[in-house]
Every structure is written in C-alpha cells, then in structure tokens.
Amino acid sequence: MTTAASEGRAFARLGLLGNPSDGYFGRALSCAIRNFHATVTLEEAADARPDTIPLLEAAITTFRTYCSEAGLSLPARHFIVRYVSTIPRQVGLAGSSAIVTAALRALMAFYEVKIPRESQPSLVLAAEVDQLGITAGLQDRVAQIYQGLVYMDLSQSLLDSLGHGAYEPLDPGLLPTLFVAHRGRSNRSSGQRLDSLKSRWQRGDPEVRHTLACIAALATRGREALLQADHAAFSSLMNENFDLRRRIMPIDGRDVAMVETARSLGASAKLAGSGGSVVGVYQGKEMRERLEERLGALDARVIYPAIA
C-alpha cells in the first residue's frame, strides 16, 4: 500500500582512516554521526513539479534508470520533493552525498522499491559522478548507507566482480573518545580538491600511487587496533594518515592549523574528509576543555560525535 508522503534521512560522515584512498581502489574506516543530518521528503502531488536542486535531480534520474534496467515498472505518480540539511556545507562532512542518500531512501519508500543495501552506495556515487561530474569515491556513501562504524575494502577486483566493495559493520563501542572541529564554509567543493589528485593518479604518478596504497593500509591496521582495543595505536594511525595525505595533496592552512593545534595539546588529528573539518582522539576532561579553547580561537566549532 503506497503512502502520500515518504521521508529519507542520512547523517554526516567522518573519515577515520584510509581517506582519500577510497576513490582509488583503497580501503577506509568511517562512521556516520547523528550530530548533523539531511532529510528528503517526497509528497504526492496532482502534477509534476520539476524545480529542484541538481543533487536531487541526479538522485531521481539515477533511481529511475536503476529501476528501468532492473525491469521494475514505476507507477505514474507525481511528487513534490523537499529537503533540509543541518550538515555544514563544504567542510568535508559529506553533506552532498547525505542529500542524495536521503533522496534514495525517500524514493525507495515512495515507490516501495527494495534495492540491496550493498548496491545502494554505488547508486549514490553514480548520481554524483555520472550525472554531475563530481570527483568522489565510495567511502561517504557506504558510511551513510550502512551507518554506524564501517570498514570497507574497495579493491578493484571486488568492484569488478561484485559491482561493490566488501563492507564490514563494526561495533562503534570499539572507538576511543573522538572530537570533531569544523570551520566555516569552504570556498571550494570536495570535487575540486580531488581533481588534481585524480589527474596524477590517472597519469600513473608513482608517488601518488605508493602513498595512496600506504593510506589504504592504515584502514586495515586501524581495524585491527580497534579489535585489540589498542587506542594508542589507532590514534597514532590517524596522525600518520594526515602526514601521508599532506605529501600528495595541498592542505588549506586553516586545516593545518587545526591539526597542529590539536596535536600540540596531546590529541591526534586528521582531516575528517576533503577539508574544512578535522577528527581526532582526545583523552580526559582537561584536554577536551583545552581543545575547545584553542580550536575556538581559530574560529572552529568543536563537537563530540554521536555515532549513528
């Protein structure tokens, strides 16, 4: 039985280890956090209402293409689409993919279509890459589809043979105490930040290829550290992830300042995504207060993630 309105929701994402190797057949360890979310609502209408933002248009087109190729006949139903997002824009917390993920969930509910969970991240990615030309990888979409804490293997052999990676949900209780700091909206999108890296990868740049392989390995090592309750090792790996990334990608000076300030206080820190926010491990109330004070002086807001 259909309903007159359907809603989908997706949460912000933190890249804990492995990013940005996820777009280059790497591995990643990420989580979705309830602190910020995007919600998309479809309301049945008497006629078509075509005006919407490109992300939603891309989600609708990709969903309809999937259904057509899967031999699923959609009823002729018109709808109005609305969205609300509390995710800070362009600070590396996956706000764009959250909107598309939420739209996919709303569309599946509205048309009563079931899509295998392991296939959904690839659909969200296709909406952004194929429809809008955004440079991106699977990490954000996997974290937002699966929610919680997820280890993902995005090896080319898996993607070629299965059409998706291997996604392993982990107990969020394994994580140490995390903080997130984000600044105001960036002037550049995540796709723009990754374009140069993609070009070097496609040219076979040996430094880029080697460094991304090292970054991918950190995700696997981080998974093992969590399973062994070795929070010190996990924290160290986060620092190493940032240092490796810095070798092959330009990092905004404001992001470097956030990372170096957190490290000077004894915390670990790395980019949470493409830039504009950092995530790290802290210990104790005193360090927490000092992080809030020192990072606040950099005009960064500090939050403590609630894992979705």
Side-chain angles (χ1 to χ4, degrees):
M1 181 176 180
T2 58
T3 58
S6 299
E7 180 180 285
R9 174 171 289 194
F11 299 102
R13 178 273 306 125
L14 298 179
L16 300 177
L17 287 170
N19 58 308
S21 79
D22 62 293
Y24 306 93
F25 308 115
R27 296 180 292 281
L29 186 67
S30 303
C31 63
I33 60 170
R34 291 186 178 274
N35 306 68
F36 307 112
H37 68 270
T39 301
V40 173
T41 304
L42 303 186
E43 296 181 10
E44 193 140 26
D47 53 15
R49 306 291 180 89
D51 295 334
T52 186
I53 65 171
L55 284 170
L56 294 174
E57 295 245 8
I60 294 166
T61 298
T62 301
F63 173 77
R64 287 175 171 162
T65 299
Y66 171 87
C67 291
S68 175
E69 293 177 349
L72 301 173
S73 179
L74 298 179
R77 300 177 66 193
H78 300 305
F79 55 78
I80 300 170
V81 58
R82 295 186 174 92
Y83 85 99
V84 175
S85 178
T86 66
I87 303 173
R89 295 188 63 187
Q90 297 181 349
V91 295
L93 295 176
S96 295
S97 59
I99 292 173
V100 179
T101 300
L104 178 63
R105 288 183 168 135
L107 286 160
M108 288 192 295
F110 188 80
Y111 286 106
E112 297 184 335
V113 169
K114 293 183 179 180
I115 300 174
R117 185 167 67 159
E118 63 272 14
S119 299
Q120 292 177 32
S122 298
L123 280 181
V124 176
L125 182 63
E128 297 177 80
V129 174
D130 298 343
Q131 297 294 323
L132 301 175
I134 295 172
T135 300
L138 276 164
Q139 172 191 215
D140 301 358
R141 295 92 195 149
V142 173
Q144 289 167 331
I145 291 294
Y146 280 74
Q147 304 188 124
L149 174 66
V150 189
Y151 170 75
M152 55 199 83
D153 183 345
L154 304 165
S155 303
Q156 186 169 13
S157 58
L158 289 174
L159 295 175
D160 289 345
S161 61
L162 301 176
H164 55 79
Y167 309 137
E168 178 187 6
L170 298 172
D171 179 3
L174 296 171
L175 288 169
T177 52
L178 299 175
F179 77 93
V180 177
H182 71 86
R183 49 184 174 82
R185 177 177 174 179
S186 170
N187 293 324
R188 294 193 300 165
S189 69
S190 59
Q192 289 174 317
R193 296 186 188 99
L194 294 170
D195 281 344
S196 175
L197 182 65
K198 182 178 180 180
S199 296
R200 293 177 65 188
W201 165 270
Q202 291 174 334
R203 294 197 304 267
D205 185 311
E207 181 184 22
V208 166
R209 295 278 179 132
H210 173 73
T211 303
L212 286 174
C214 292
I215 290 173
L218 297 180
T220 303
R221 292 164 60 191
R223 173 187 175 277
E224 293 303 315
L226 290 180
L227 293 175
Q228 295 170 14
D230 191 344
H231 290 171
F234 188 84
S235 181
S236 178
L237 291 170
M238 295 183 82
N239 285 335
E240 188 176 347
N241 200 142
F242 179 80
D243 295 340
L244 286 169
R245 181 179 186 137
R246 199 173 181 181
R247 292 182 187 176
I248 57 173
M249 295 183 69
I251 308 294
D252 190 294
R254 294 169 294 177
D255 294 338
V256 173
M258 286 195 290
V259 168
E260 292 182 344
T261 297
R263 289 190 188 184
S264 73
L265 300 175
S268 62
K270 64 176 291 294
L271 294 182
S274 56
S277 59
V278 301
V279 59
V281 175
Y282 76 95
Q283 296 177 347
K285 180 180 177 181
E286 181 180 351
M287 187 182 295
R288 175 174 173 151
E289 292 174 347
R290 294 175 70 196
L291 283 168
E292 291 174 357
E293 177 185 359
R294 293 283 300 280
L295 291 172
L298 299 176
D299 292 324
R301 179 190 178 194
V302 179
I303 65 167
Y304 302 95
I307 309 301

